Amino acid sequence: MGTGIPLLNDYKQEFFAKRFPQTILGGPKLRLGYDAPVYVYINQLILFIIPFILGGLVTLLVELDTISDVVGVILYGSLVLAFVLAANIISSIVQEKCTSDLTYPTKKNLFAEEDEIDFVSCCGVETYEFVIPRKKFIANLIIHAVLSGCMCGLSLWYLLPTTLNALYSNSMGATVVIFIFGWFTVLVAQYPLTVAAPPEPATYRTMDRWELSPLTRPFYVLVFCMFDLLYRYHSQATFSTTNQALHILFVVLPVLWTGGFLPPVDCFFLWLGEQVHIHLLGGSPMASDLRLGVLLLLSVGVYFAAYFMPSCLATVLVSALFGYLLSIDLGGLVNQIIHTCRSRNKVSDDQGVIAMDMRIKGFLWRWGVLEFLYHFIMLAFVGVTAGLLNVNSHTISGDVWRILGYVIIGFCVVEKILRDLQNVYIFFGLLRNWLFPKSSHLGKIFLDRRKMLKPLGVVRRIIVNWVAPLTMLGYASLLVTTSDPASVSVTTALSTATSVWYLFGVVRVFRAIWQNTVTSLLELSITHIILVTTTSTSELILFPILSLVIGLCLDRTIQFLNKLYFCVTVLITSWTDKKQRRGSTAALIGVSVFLFPLVLLMVSLASVLSAPLLPLFTLPLFVMGFPRPNKFWPENVGASANVNPDTMFYKQLAPVLSGTLGSAFADGRLGEAFVGNHYLLRFQDRLVWIMVLERGAGYCTVSIKGLELQETSCHTAEAARLDDIFEEAFPEKLGCSLNQYPLHTLALVDIEPVKTYSDARNVLTGIIDQPGSFDIVMSSFIKSLVWVLLHRVNQLKIKEKKKNLENASKGAGSENNNNLSGRISKASLHHNDRAVIAMETYAGRPSSSKQNKMNSSWGSLGSFTDSIFSEDEFTDRKKTNATKQEPKKPKTPTFGAPAKTVSKFDDEIEDLMNDFELGLPALDVKKKTPNVGAVSKFDSKKTSNGIFKPMTNLAGSPDFKCSHSVHISLPQKWRELPLEPSQVSRYMGKFPREWFKHVLGTLDWSGVKGPVNQVKEEVANDDVLTNCYSQLVMACYSIFDTNSSVGGANTLYKFYNGDLPWNAMLDWLSEDKELYKLVLKAYRYGFKMMLDQVLMGEATTPAEFEEYLTEFDRDWYIGLEKEEEWKTSVLNSVPSLFSLGHNKAQGTYSSRLLTLQEEMVYIGRLNSEAVKGQWANLSLELLYFTNDDEERYSIQAHPTILRNLTVQAADPPLGYPIFSSHPISIPTV
């Protein structure tokens, strides 16, 4: 694999050959890859060389003493400013004029390459567009011109021969070399300001929205010039050596830019701010750039407040109180306030964050009264402790601080032991921990065994969260003192320079003990050992300064060891793993070994600058990447992901996993949550990537990413190696066994139970293709439909009653209701069984219901001899203006077909009048009444949709034998059937009357007056109600029974998907979205019941059917994966989900079953420097080499450093995780 895959394909090699000279020269495109006129190159060279010509003339004038150096600087800067401004203004005017003249762009050569340009003339618009492209913003045109003038003016002063001779003791060689190469540095830095930024290997952002890239090179030139100004005007003796070294480094700047060692200007300030926040002010890397900026400003404010305090006591109190206050989760508090305000104002927000916050409940998960009280008590305790100990520091025995120092050392050792004893491996991951459970397959036994380790975690929580920080607080309060803490300032006896660093140390130590307690324990332990063993009186031995230096050295030492480990791992595995070998591997290893001191220097330099160690193309060829912030990627965390149908599983998992991580981090089972740590979680076929973004007092902030579910061979190969590592960690005979993969980038640390979905797929061959399966499904479907309809109607009536009670309590519209009832004829309340209740006929109203009844054969059905039906004005009015259209057979409707628009008010009035048998005064049906524009349903040959519908009329007011039946009567819109009675009557024998009565007993009758059991019995004996439901149920059944004679697996699958054979009943059903969903839901219930009965035995009693259906309603979603309800059910953690699929290629049918249950999740900690190094290489390859080949070498499987998974876990667009969460704050108390 390694030998056959090129690092860069031929096209990319040619592209790189054109791009690399631009990087060296700062932008001139001297190699285009196609024939271009000579003037294109001459124009670029002129723009490149003019600043040097102008600078040479001014330098000559200064050296000849014609003008002073200051005047020369101003003159040269003004000339360059005018030159840049004129060039860009002329180019902009020409391009603007051409743009206004041309309505659309044209391409003269249709066979030209995509980036090939047809040049017309030396001053043509295409030449200007190519040589001097327009700035995005007019303000940048002015800013870049001014910056060019300032940079070139100061650079002239920086490189004057007089300056260089004075700096290097009139050394002619040094002066000439620095002058020549120094001016080359100025030219390659100035050209981007005139034209545009060159392609940079050090690219941080994929899109340069604000045109910051041209500022990068000038910025570094100006930094060097600033040091020269300090040398000139502040202290030449102090900065002399520094200035000499910087002049030499100034000459090397083009090499550093070409190598990509210096960060872009925006990345530089973020990195610098983060380093200051961590190592000078005691803070932590932040989860976002905005948080970093705000916390940095607040921390700087605290520093100045502490510096200018008049007394030592005030300095200690300010440092201690704000040290605790700034270390708590203030970012989470601000986010919660913003989300609350947006939700109250109904402003759209990130639903994932809100849902996650709402679903996780517990102490410190959200800010509430208890959380504010806790932090207030802690803040008061911190202030009292620090104040009392500091003010009495001279009266307390001198041995107290020494005792506290030894206690801190003890806490450091105990915490480390307690943490390691809960991990799978101990002694730096080399030996298997014999206390850790020896088997992970038996979940309950494993958890019981691990409970024995729980006391270790509880003790560690107490130490890390309260005891150790307060001990270090007392220790620092006793050592940061003066002769009179209450009145004498800490800076009184110190020089200015020492005072600055001393106060940095004070502010840092009082904050770091809360922000990063475990690291502070180690820092203060080393500090105490040095303090009690040394007799030096150097200012470096002062406690705050010493702790600051030790903290910085510890951080860089840990980085150095991790980088060296990564370097050695890549060197060894590039040869031992045969698939990683290339033709050049042996040579590269030989060079690395021979030049190992140089490699070690590169590792050391990367560690000092906190920059990633970049393995070029992931080969054993190491260079230093440019320094970056800890979160590595420029965009906001969780801003984007490659969303696909599997994303919902990770979205459901994220809040559950967060709760598990909180407990694991607090106990120390995952080790200490150091910022920058990466964890990889493995269970079933899923992989979760977790990165620690922020750490503070009682919390840590993480990002959770979900990786694709093993869709590539590389992904599968690396996942298989992870499984091997996890299995080797649990050998059959557990003793003092060694780690079989000591060089692997991942170390297994823990196994945690997490409640998530298990995914099972089964082929249904031999089940749904059995001859009797169709009959079982249809039989179960009838019972399911009865269950679904009755329970749905019951729910609707209960909601309606609650709504009416709420309206009644408000007194809304009560007078209107009374007037309406007063106009209703009392005769209509006492009609006999054969009376016809008619509505007043007026223009546009259908004819009387008696005429409709005579036109229909419905009265011949014996089951409805006890019922009286009348046409309802409010329903029929909508159908009187039906237009005559040609019959057109519509397409089979899909699931979720749009329902017919019906007035909600009309439906409510109709239900109210029909259920209580109310109507308007009866009329003489023999009397001729005008019928203007009225069309009878039964006389009309076509309905509004152009389909012939012989109507079965259920829209009247049933004369229920039981007064309580109205509480479950069918809604008005479900009482009209487009079938002849004969079409329904042949199915009536299949209606399960006993099951219908049984389901009635399961409904909620709490809103009915009277004994519940008596009400149930009376309603069950109401034949009119039974007949209403039987007609609707069997009419719906007739749709599915169309192909019963040829029912098979394909028919069952089509019906399950809602692909139903068309008929008039289906057309009517599809108009009602709610009823359509209920019918399809009932069919899917029936299908699932068929599978369960075939596999587990037939259900014979109503109680068994009730158990099935109750569980389906409560714990199941049965549908299709493509439906939105499927995703919603997963996100809502519905216990079980079922879907049906069909593989057309293989001709098989399969089921998918998702079950919410506890899964044992393996958690491994990755080498953070290995991740950063591969991500840095990924950024270089894609953004500079544009090597986006999906089969490139650097993305192939590497089982040791997990190359493919690491690339996938990068932020889009370079990586492709399918889920990426926003920063999640997890309490660790």
Side-chain angles (χ1 to χ4, degrees):
M1 179 188 71
T3 305
I5 300 176
L7 300 178
L8 280 174
N9 58 38
D10 295 338
Y11 173 75
K12 295 301 180 183
Q13 290 177 12
E14 181 182 353
F15 181 79
F16 172 69
K18 294 187 294 183
R19 169 169 276 207
F20 190 65
Q22 299 178 41
T23 303
I24 296 175
L25 299 176
K29 302 172 185 178
L30 302 182
R31 181 172 180 177
L32 302 181
Y34 57 90
D35 293 334
V38 177
Y39 57 75
V40 174
Y41 303 102
I42 295 176
N43 288 344
Q44 295 181 80
L45 290 176
I46 291 174
L47 290 174
F48 183 80
I49 207 70
I50 281 180
F52 176 71
I53 296 174
L54 296 176
L57 294 175
V58 175
T59 299
L60 187 61
L61 294 176
V62 173
E63 290 297 318
L64 295 176
D65 289 332
T66 305
I67 57 176
S68 64
D69 53 359
V70 176
V71 173
V73 168
I74 298 173
L75 175 62
Y76 180 55
S78 301
L79 291 174
V80 173
L81 186 152
F83 161 69
V84 174
L85 206 59
N88 280 275
I89 289 175
I90 293 172
S91 177
S92 299
I93 292 174
V94 172
Q95 294 179 56
E96 181 69 26
K97 181 179 180 181
C98 179
T99 303
S100 61
D101 292 341
L102 293 178
T103 56
Y104 56 91
T106 60
K107 186 174 182 179
K108 300 180 179 61
N109 186 358
L110 298 178
F111 298 98
E113 294 292 334
E114 187 175 331
D115 58 348
E116 186 174 338
I117 299 174
D118 291 329
F119 296 98
V120 177
S121 66
C122 177
C123 299
V125 63
E126 65 284 340
T127 305
Y128 278 104
E129 289 178 353
F130 181 79
V131 177
I132 311 177
R134 296 169 63 182
K135 305 289 184 182
K136 293 181 181 179
F137 307 100
I138 297 178
N140 282 344
L141 190 150
I142 300 173
I143 293 172
H144 291 180
V146 172
L147 193 59
S148 291
C150 295
M151 183 197 71
C152 290
L154 293 175
S155 298
L156 176 75
W157 209 356
Y158 194 77
L159 296 174
L160 280 174
T162 305
T163 303
L164 298 177
N165 285 330
L167 195 61
Y168 293 101
S169 304
N170 295 317
S171 174
M172 183 63 66
T175 299
V176 171
V177 170
I178 293 177
F179 181 82
I180 294 174
F181 288 100
W183 270 104
F184 178 76
T185 300
V186 174
L187 294 180
V188 300
Q190 191 279 329
Y191 191 82
L193 293 173
T194 305
V195 181
E200 296 281 11
T203 302
Y204 184 55
R205 301 184 187 275
T206 55
M207 298 293 292
D208 187 17
R209 298 183 181 92
W210 303 102
E211 286 186 310
L212 296 177
S213 297
L215 307 181
T216 297
R217 297 190 179 194
F219 166 74
Y220 287 105
V221 172
L222 287 173
V223 168
F224 280 78
C225 294
M226 290 301 107
F227 274 98
D228 184 64
L229 292 178
L230 288 175
Y231 167 76
R232 292 174 184 273
Y233 294 106
H234 185 267
S235 174
Q236 293 190 358
T238 304
F239 290 98
S240 177
T241 305
T242 303
N243 204 18
Q244 290 177 358
L246 289 178
H247 271 77
I248 297 174
L249 189 60
F250 185 83
V251 173
V252 188
L253 278 179
V255 178
L256 300 180
W257 290 327
T258 304
F261 301 126
L262 298 179
V265 61
D266 54 340
C267 180
F268 173 81
F269 282 110
L270 291 174
W271 168 80
L272 183 63
E274 186 176 271
Q275 296 299 309
V276 170
H277 189 235
I278 297 170
H279 300 294
L280 294 182
L281 300 171
S284 163
M286 292 288 120
S288 68
D289 298 339
L290 181 60
R291 284 195 197 185
L292 176 62
V294 173
L295 265 296
L296 181 61
L297 289 177
L298 292 176
S299 301
V300 170
V302 172
Y303 170 80
F304 282 112
Y307 187 91
F308 291 106
M309 283 294 168
S311 67
C312 176
L313 176 61
T315 298
V316 169
L317 284 176
V318 168
S319 301
L321 291 174
F322 280 98
Y324 178 81
L325 188 62
L326 295 180
S327 66
I328 61 179
D329 187 19
L330 297 178
L333 174 61
V334 173
N335 284 340
Q336 184 175 328
I337 293 173
I338 293 174
H339 293 158
T340 303
C341 294
R342 287 183 174 179
S343 61
R344 288 182 178 178
N345 295 329
K346 297 182 179 181
V347 178
S348 61
D349 203 346
D350 181 4
Q351 298 299 323
V353 175
I354 296 177
M356 193 172 297
D357 290 343
M358 293 300 293
R359 290 171 63 180
I360 304 177
K361 297 181 180 180
F363 184 57
L364 293 181
W365 278 103
R366 291 176 61 86
W367 283 80
V369 176
L370 186 61
E371 285 73 16
F372 278 105
L373 181 61
Y374 167 77
H375 288 304
F376 178 78
I377 293 174
M378 288 296 299
L379 201 61
F381 203 78
V382 167
V384 171
T385 303
L388 289 178
L389 289 176
N390 185 259
V391 76
N392 297 308
S393 58
H394 286 281
T395 59
I396 298 176
S397 173
D399 295 331
V400 174
W401 72 269
R402 291 183 173 85
I403 295 173
L404 289 177
Y406 291 120
V407 171
I408 291 172
I409 295 174
F411 281 147
C412 182
V413 175
V414 171
E415 188 277 332
K416 174 65 175 174
I417 294 174
L418 293 176
R419 186 178 1 131
D420 286 354
L421 288 179
Q422 299 179 75
N423 296 156
V424 179
Y425 292 99
I426 57 177
F427 295 117
F428 306 102
L430 298 177
L431 294 179
R432 177 65 162 81
N433 180 10
W434 58 89
L435 293 179
F436 200 85
K438 58 184 178 180
S439 177
S440 63
H441 297 292
L442 302 176
K444 189 175 184 305
I445 297 176
F446 171 84
L447 295 176
D448 292 340
R449 285 289 305 274
R450 208 184 63 176
K451 284 182 180 179
M452 299 171 58
L453 302 177
K454 185 64 177 178
L456 302 180
V458 174
V459 174
R460 182 186 178 276
R461 289 193 193 201
I462 296 173
I463 292 176
V464 171
N465 289 303
W466 298 290
V467 179
L470 291 174
T471 303
M472 290 187 287
L473 177 68
Y475 181 78
S477 300
L478 290 174
L479 288 180
V480 179
T481 185
T482 58
S483 57
D484 186 4
S487 58
V488 179
S489 172
V490 293
T491 61
T492 300
L494 302 175
S495 63
T496 302
T498 305
S499 298
V500 170
W501 293 107
Y502 188 90
L503 262 297
F504 272 126
V506 171
V507 172
R508 179 188 179 278
V509 72
F510 278 107
R511 183 173 175 186
I513 59 178
W514 299 104
Q515 194 85 52
N516 202 337
T517 304
V518 173
T519 303
S520 293
L521 281 173
L522 181 58
E523 291 176 8
L524 294 190
S525 297
I526 298 174
T527 302
H528 181 73
I529 293 173
I530 294 176
L531 288 176
V532 298
T533 55
T534 186
T535 57
S536 174
T537 58
S538 171
E539 291 181 344
L540 285 175
I541 305 302
L542 294 173
F543 165 70
I545 298 178
L546 183 61
S547 65
L548 187 151
V549 173
I550 290 175
L552 180 62
C553 292
L554 273 177
D555 178 78
R556 295 318 193 237
T557 301
I558 294 172
Q559 286 193 39
F560 175 81
L561 294 176
N562 285 331
K563 285 180 171 65
L564 187 62
Y565 180 86
F566 173 52
C567 178
V568 172
T569 299
V570 174
L571 278 171
I572 294 176
T573 56
S574 62
W575 182 259
T576 57
D577 190 343
K578 294 182 180 180
K579 292 185 177 181
Q580 307 304 322
R581 292 182 190 174
R582 298 179 58 85
S584 59
T585 299
L588 290 174
I589 294 176
V591 171
S592 298
V593 173
F594 181 74
L595 299 177
F596 189 74
L598 187 60
V599 174
L600 205 61
L601 178 63
M602 186 67 70
V603 173
S604 302
L605 186 61
S607 301
V608 169
L609 295 178
S610 189
L613 184 67
L614 189 155
L616 196 60
F617 298 105
T618 65
L619 294 172
L621 180 62
F622 297 94
V623 295
M624 185 189 76
F626 64 89
R628 309 166 179 257
N630 177 75
K631 71 186 186 74
F632 205 88
W633 302 109
E635 303 299 330
N636 293 331
V637 176
S640 61
N642 290 1
V643 178
N644 67 17
D646 293 322
T647 300
M648 59 184 177
F649 295 111
Y650 291 114
K651 197 170 184 180
Q652 179 273 333
L653 174 67
V656 181
L657 183 59
S658 300
T660 302
L661 291 176
S663 174
F665 279 134
D667 289 343
R669 298 196 297 270
L670 303 182
E672 175 59 16
F674 294 115
V675 176
N677 276 3
H678 297 263
Y679 296 89
L680 191 59
L681 282 62
R682 169 78 168 160
F683 65 99
Q684 291 192 357
D685 59 348
R686 297 173 204 163
L687 287 163
V688 180
W689 190 285
I690 296 175
M691 179 181 181
V692 181
L693 301 169
E694 188 177 327
R695 186 74 168 95
Y699 83 98
C700 69
T701 302
V702 302
S703 166
I704 299 177
K705 295 179 181 178
L707 308 187
E708 65 181 0
L709 305 185
Q710 297 189 18
E711 295 182 358
T712 63
S713 58
C714 296
H715 185 116
T716 305
E718 294 183 357
R721 174 57 61 88
L722 294 178
D723 295 335
D724 294 339
I725 294 174
F726 299 150
E727 290 180 4
E728 289 292 336
F730 297 95
E732 295 181 0
K733 295 182 180 180
L734 183 61
C736 190
S737 59
L738 294 174
N739 185 357
Q740 300 298 314
Y741 300 92
L743 287 179
H744 202 278
T745 187
L746 180 137
L748 180 64
V749 292
D750 194 22
I751 303 175
E752 292 288 340
V754 177
K755 197 168 186 179
T756 186
Y757 282 102
S758 64
D759 195 349
R761 301 172 187 262
N762 298 294
V763 177
L764 300 180
T765 303
I767 299 178
I768 67 172
D769 51 359
Q770 290 183 1
S773 297
F774 186 85
D775 294 334
I776 298 176
V777 171
M778 298 306 294
S779 175
S780 301
F781 165 55
I782 298 176
K783 296 182 178 180
S784 301
L785 186 55
V786 171
W787 173 278
V788 169
L789 288 176
L790 280 172
H791 279 79
R792 179 56 181 166
V793 171
N794 188 226
Q795 293 173 3
L796 292 175
K797 296 296 183 180
I798 292 175
K799 290 181 180 178
E800 182 181 349
K801 183 173 182 180
K802 290 181 179 179
K803 184 178 180 180
N804 291 337
L805 290 176
E806 292 176 359
N807 293 336
S809 63
K810 297 177 182 179
S814 59
E815 182 178 353
N816 294 335
N817 293 335
N818 292 332
N819 293 336
L820 174 63
S821 61
R823 292 196 302 267
I824 298 177
S825 173
K826 294 183 179 180
S828 64
L829 299 177
H830 303 285
H831 60 79
N832 55 43
D833 290 346
R834 297 298 178 182
V836 178
I837 303 175
M839 304 295 288
E840 181 181 1
T841 304
Y842 58 90
R845 180 175 300 165
S847 57
S848 67
S849 62
K850 183 175 181 180
Q851 181 181 352
N852 291 341
K853 182 177 178 180
M854 290 187 294
N855 290 338
S856 171
S857 60
W858 182 258
S860 63
L861 282 178
S863 60
F864 275 81
T865 55
D866 296 331
S867 300
I868 297 177
F869 299 91
S870 62
E871 290 301 306
D872 199 316
E873 168 195 1
F874 299 99
T875 300
D876 293 344
R877 187 188 306 173
K878 299 179 180 66
K879 300 187 178 181
T880 56
N881 296 323
T883 59
K884 294 184 178 182
Q885 302 175 2
E886 290 297 325
K888 181 180 179 181
K889 182 176 180 180
K891 296 180 180 179
T892 302
T894 58
F895 181 71
K900 179 178 63 176
T901 304
V902 180
S903 171
K904 182 178 179 182
F905 173 77
D906 290 350
D907 277 347
E908 291 177 355
I909 297 298
E910 289 166 1
D911 287 343
L912 177 65
M913 297 177 68
N914 289 328
D915 290 345
F916 290 96
E917 308 175 20
L918 301 180
L920 294 181
L923 299 178
D924 185 358
V925 297
K926 296 181 180 180
K927 182 179 179 180
K928 294 183 179 181
T929 56
N931 188 7
V932 181
V935 180
S936 172
K937 294 180 188 177
F938 299 95
D939 292 337
S940 175
K941 299 298 182 181
K942 301 181 182 67
T943 58
S944 59
N945 57 6
I947 299 172
F948 175 72
K949 291 186 177 181
M951 299 297 299
T952 297
N953 183 11
L954 296 178
S957 303
D959 186 12
F960 294 122
K961 294 182 178 180
C962 175
S963 60
H964 301 296
S965 297
V966 296
H967 294 282
I968 54 170
S969 64
L970 290 172
Q972 169 69 28
K973 55 187 177 180
W974 295 354
R975 296 178 189 169
E976 299 176 354
L977 302 179
L979 298 177
E980 292 289 347
S982 60
Q983 294 178 278
V984 181
S985 60
R986 62 192 181 98
Y987 296 109
M988 295 303 294
K990 296 182 179 181
F991 183 75
R993 293 180 176 272
E994 294 300 323
W995 169 250
F996 178 80
K997 294 179 180 179
H998 179 82
V999 177
L1000 288 175
T1002 65
L1003 301 180
D1004 183 3
W1005 297 98
S1006 58
V1008 178
K1009 297 180 180 180
V1012 176
N1013 292 332
Q1014 182 180 350
V1015 170
K1016 291 180 181 179
E1017 183 177 356
E1018 292 178 358
V1019 174
N1021 293 327
D1022 191 339
D1023 293 337
V1024 177
L1025 179 67
T1026 304
N1027 290 335
C1028 286
Y1029 274 92
S1030 65
Q1031 297 295 326
L1032 178 60
V1033 169
M1034 301 320 296
C1036 295
Y1037 173 85
S1038 66
I1039 304 174
F1040 295 83
D1041 194 52
T1042 301
N1043 290 330
S1044 60
S1045 59
V1046 293
N1050 188 49
T1051 302
L1052 291 174
Y1053 175 72
K1054 286 185 175 181
F1055 286 179
Y1056 187 93
N1057 283 323
D1059 185 7
L1060 306 175
W1062 180 87
N1063 58 28
M1065 181 64 194
L1066 176 61
D1067 183 71
W1068 172 82
L1069 181 63
S1070 64
E1071 293 180 352
D1072 192 317
K1073 185 176 180 180
E1074 181 181 12
L1075 183 58
Y1076 191 100
K1077 286 185 175 182
L1078 293 176
V1079 172
L1080 197 57
K1081 175 182 178 181
Y1083 179 84
R1084 291 170 175 175
Y1085 278 11
F1087 183 89
K1088 182 63 173 65
M1089 290 174 67
M1090 179 273 292
L1091 289 180
D1092 292 345
Q1093 291 182 74
V1094 171
L1095 296 175
M1096 296 182 292
E1098 185 178 358
T1100 57
T1101 64
E1104 292 177 348
F1105 279 106
E1106 178 187 346
E1107 183 180 357
Y1108 270 119
L1109 295 170
T1110 302
E1111 184 182 354
F1112 288 167
D1113 283 341
R1114 184 185 66 242
D1115 298 334
W1116 285 78
Y1117 175 76
I1118 302 174
L1120 297 174
E1121 298 173 33
K1122 64 183 179 181
E1123 294 171 351
E1124 188 65 25
E1125 290 84 351
W1126 177 275
K1127 177 182 178 181
T1128 304
S1129 299
V1130 171
L1131 298 180
N1132 291 334
S1133 298
V1134 173
S1136 301
L1137 292 90
F1138 175 86
S1139 71
L1140 185 63
H1142 176 45
N1143 188 326
K1144 294 182 179 180
Q1146 300 179 359
T1148 58
Y1149 298 89
S1150 61
S1151 66
R1152 186 180 187 186
L1153 177 63
L1154 300 180
T1155 306
L1156 192 64
Q1157 60 185 18
E1158 282 194 344
E1159 294 285 340
M1160 302 305 293
V1161 178
Y1162 292 84
I1163 305 177
R1165 184 175 58 244
L1166 295 160
N1167 185 313
S1168 58
E1169 295 302 328
V1171 175
K1172 291 179 181 178
Q1174 294 181 76
W1175 281 355
N1177 174 72
L1178 174 67
S1179 178
L1180 177 67
E1181 272 199 78
L1182 294 185
L1183 299 182
Y1184 184 70
F1185 293 108
T1186 65
N1187 188 23
D1188 55 354
D1189 187 354
E1190 294 183 356
E1191 299 299 327
R1192 63 185 184 273
Y1193 173 77
S1194 61
I1195 203 175
Q1196 300 300 314
H1198 194 307
T1200 303
I1201 63 174
L1202 303 179
R1203 185 165 54 196
N1204 184 268
L1205 294 178
T1206 304
V1207 167
Q1208 187 184 157
D1211 279 9
L1214 306 187
Y1216 43 98
I1218 64 175
F1219 170 75
S1220 183
S1221 74
H1222 290 266
I1224 304 173
S1225 294
I1226 299 175
T1228 58
V1229 174

